[in-house]
């Protein structure tokens, strides 16, 4: 079979890679299929996640928020309680175990905001791997705290100065590294995107969310949920929770993209629900990208760095086309309001990414019946977003604190 015909989900996916990467991808497919067929691998993965990353993560009944909105009973799957603060741990630890099985000693990864870079560097420290992270120059400047932690964790952060100096350029640089380092190196791709087998493999590691959530909701509520909301960046946390319920009739799955400043402004990262979202081939896959008319990639915008990406998982593009998942978008303003409400009602700080799922749930819950069950996947915790949230809420004391800190630094030099 021609490589471009393998690894498809409906009309999306494939393996659009340069010739030099074929051996790497074939080797990866072989190892991925082997561990997937080996129950001892999944058992080792589950044991690792329970001793290192708080799994199974709890399911929390949001009693106050449910009462406040006056509709469905709201439950939250707490991926924020993972080590390093998000579901990203599920993917990196899984790929770490795979790297060990492949006998490799070096890992590389791309990162946008730096969350995946920190998670990969954490995994590399734990497993004793050499680690290099590719990150666009623009992102390095915006995300100093994450660069600081990656370096403390022992990773080398390579600044990428090509293109728009953002996530997609970091991905291209990581593939370039991999094309001459495959003997020693595994590329830990951060979401359910890229060439086959990455979309399927990452979704598989994340399926631990859905498997747990299904058991937990049956125990807590005595029945399956009517609605499940998850935010959609590359697509890994949404696929993770949705996959536990694909075969269940009567469970509606809702993916929420970044509506940014509004779908009619062009300043968003909504691939599946905006007019800028068009089918194309890039980054190793055929999927829906935010594009200009001539196939030029469009600049994306979102208040949440983790949803700010031009492409979306080919698996989700297929589920969208087959109408198995409903897609919506939440704007930056709605997201900030959702963060504020969830903090005050539940004492839980959602990441700005996760708050997209909350924002859509908050819009729809009041219209639902009181005996209906609504489940939100809280992909991560929001402490990391203090700079953005404090700005958005116009907290004057925070602004004073930042200025005074900067002045103290200057005086000390
Ligand atoms: C990275 C990130 C996302 C987006 O990635 P997906 O692959 O779409 O899950 C969502 N939430 C948080 C907290 C993240 O860190």
């Amino acid at each position: 079979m021609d490589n471009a015909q393998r690894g498809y989900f409906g009309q999306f996916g494939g393996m659009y890679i340069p010739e030099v990467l074929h051996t790497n991808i074939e080797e990866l497919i072989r190892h991925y299929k082997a561990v997937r067929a080996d129950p001892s691998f999944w058992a080792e993965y589950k044991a690792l996640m329970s001793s290192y990353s708080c799994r199974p993560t709890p399911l929390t009944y949001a009693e106050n928020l449910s009462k406040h909105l006056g509709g469905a009973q709201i439950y939250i799957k707490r991926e924020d309680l993972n080590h390093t603060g998000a579901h990203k741990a599920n993917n990196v630890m899984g790929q770490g175990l795979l790297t060990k099985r492949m006998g490799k000693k070096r890992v590389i990864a791309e990162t946008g905001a730096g969350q995946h870079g920190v998670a990969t560097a954490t995994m590399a420290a734990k497993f004793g791997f050499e680690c290099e992270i590719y990150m666009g120059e623009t992102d390095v400047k915006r995300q100093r705290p994450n660069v600081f932690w990656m370096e403390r964790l022992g990773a080398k952060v390579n600044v990428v100065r090509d293109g728009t100096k953002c996530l997609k350029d970091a991905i291209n640089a990581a593939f370039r590294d991999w094309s001459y380092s495959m003997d020693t190196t595994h590329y830990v791709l951060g979401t359910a995107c890229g060439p086959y087998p990455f979309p399927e493999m990452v979704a598989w590691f994340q399926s631990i969310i859905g498997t747990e959530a299904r058991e937990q909701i049956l125990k807590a509520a005595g029945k399956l949920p009517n609605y499940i909301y998850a935010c959609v960046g590359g697509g890994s946390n949404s696929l993770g929770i949705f996959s536990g319920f694909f075969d269940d009739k009567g469970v509606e799955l809702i993916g929420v993209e970044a509506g940014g400043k509004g779908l009619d402004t062009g300043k968003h990262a909504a691939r599946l629900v905006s007019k800028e979202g068009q089918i194309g081939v890039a980054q190793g896959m055929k999927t829906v990208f935010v594009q200009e008319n001539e196939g030029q990639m469009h600049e994306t915008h979102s208040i949440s760095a983790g949803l700010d990406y031009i492409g979306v998982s080919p698996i989700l593009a297929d589920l969208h086309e087959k109408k198995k998942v409903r897609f919506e978008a939440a704007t930056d303003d709605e997201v900030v309001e959702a963060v504020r409400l969830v903090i005050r009602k539940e004492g839980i700080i959602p990441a700005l990414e996760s708050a997209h799922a909350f924002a859509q749930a908050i819009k729809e819950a009041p219209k639902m019946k009181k005996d209906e069950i609504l489940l939100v996947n809280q992909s991560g915790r929001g402490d990391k977003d203090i700079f953005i949230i404090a700005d958005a809420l116009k907290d004057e004391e925070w602004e004073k604190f930042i200025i005074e800190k900067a002045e103290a630094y200057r005086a000390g030099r």
Side-chain angles (χ1 to χ4, degrees), residues 86-88 115 191 231-238 306-307 351 353-354 379-380:
H87 69 295
K88 288 190 166 71
Q115 293 301 115
T191 186
C231 67
V232 180
S236 69
N237 87 88
S238 56
L307 305 188
E353 291 84 1
S354 321
S379 52

Side-chain angles (χ1 to χ4, degrees), residues 73-183:
Q73 304 308 307
I74 300 171
Y75 288 80
I76 307 171
K77 178 62 173 163
R78 302 292 307 280
E79 290 304 298
D80 56 309
L81 296 177
N82 272 295
H83 184 41
T84 70
H87 69 295
K88 288 190 166 71
N90 304 330
N91 175 38
V92 297
M93 297 314 287
Q95 292 202 47
L97 279 182
L98 180 66
T99 305
K100 218 170 81 178
R101 293 241 175 155
M102 290 191 289
K104 296 190 174 180
K105 296 268 163 33
R106 177 175 176 266
V107 289
I108 55 171
E110 84 291 350
T111 196
Q115 293 301 115
H116 177 58
V118 170
T120 303
T122 301
M123 175 273 279
K126 164 106 177 129
F127 282 110
F129 298 146
E130 192 189 325
C131 178
E132 288 193 38
I133 305 293
Y134 289 90
M135 189 168 183
E137 187 174 33
T138 315
D139 291 326
V140 170
K141 283 189 183 144
R142 287 193 288 210
Q143 307 286 346
R144 180 49 59 183
N146 284 334
V147 176
F148 173 84
W149 285 125
M150 283 182 253
E151 290 177 346
R152 298 289 80 67
L153 287 157
K156 176 162 181 262
V157 179
N158 297 309
V159 181
V160 179
R161 298 193 171 81
D162 311 323
T164 50
K165 307 176 176 65
C166 287
L167 177 59
K168 71 168 169 50
D169 312 294
I171 293 176
N172 293 336
F175 274 118
R176 256 196 314 280
D177 178 314
W178 204 32
S179 66
Y180 53 76
S181 66
M182 67 161 294
D183 288 346

Side-chain angles (χ1 to χ4, degrees), residues 11-13 193 233-234 257 269-282 285-291 297 309-318 320-321:
Q11 63 155 323
F12 301 104
C193 285
E257 297 190 288
R271 291 65 42 99
L272 297 170
V273 298
S274 78
K275 62 179 187 319
E276 287 85 7
Q278 291 160 30
I279 296 175
V281 172
M285 60 182 168
K286 179 180 175 191
T287 187
V288 178
F289 295 92
V290 178
Q291 299 174 59
M297 295 299 154
Y309 177 51
I310 49 164
V312 67
S313 176
I315 305 178
L316 285 176
D318 181 45
H320 171 251
E321 193 169 76

Side-chain angles (χ1 to χ4, degrees), residues 3-9 12-17 21-22 24-26 28-30 32-33 36 175 178 189 192-201 283-286 314-315:
N3 262 334
Q5 289 167 347
R6 280 171 73 198
Y8 266 83
F9 310 91
F12 301 104
M15 307 158 70
Y16 293 88
I17 46 169
L21 279 170
H22 281 175
N24 302 32
I25 290 284
E26 291 304 332
L28 179 61
I29 292 173
R30 203 171 65 245
Y32 158 60
K33 294 222 156 133
R36 220 179 145 148
F175 274 118
W178 204 32
L189 212 146
C193 285
Y196 186 80
F198 284 108
E200 188 183 278
M201 183 173 77
Q283 311 252 277
M285 60 182 168
K286 179 180 175 191
I315 305 178

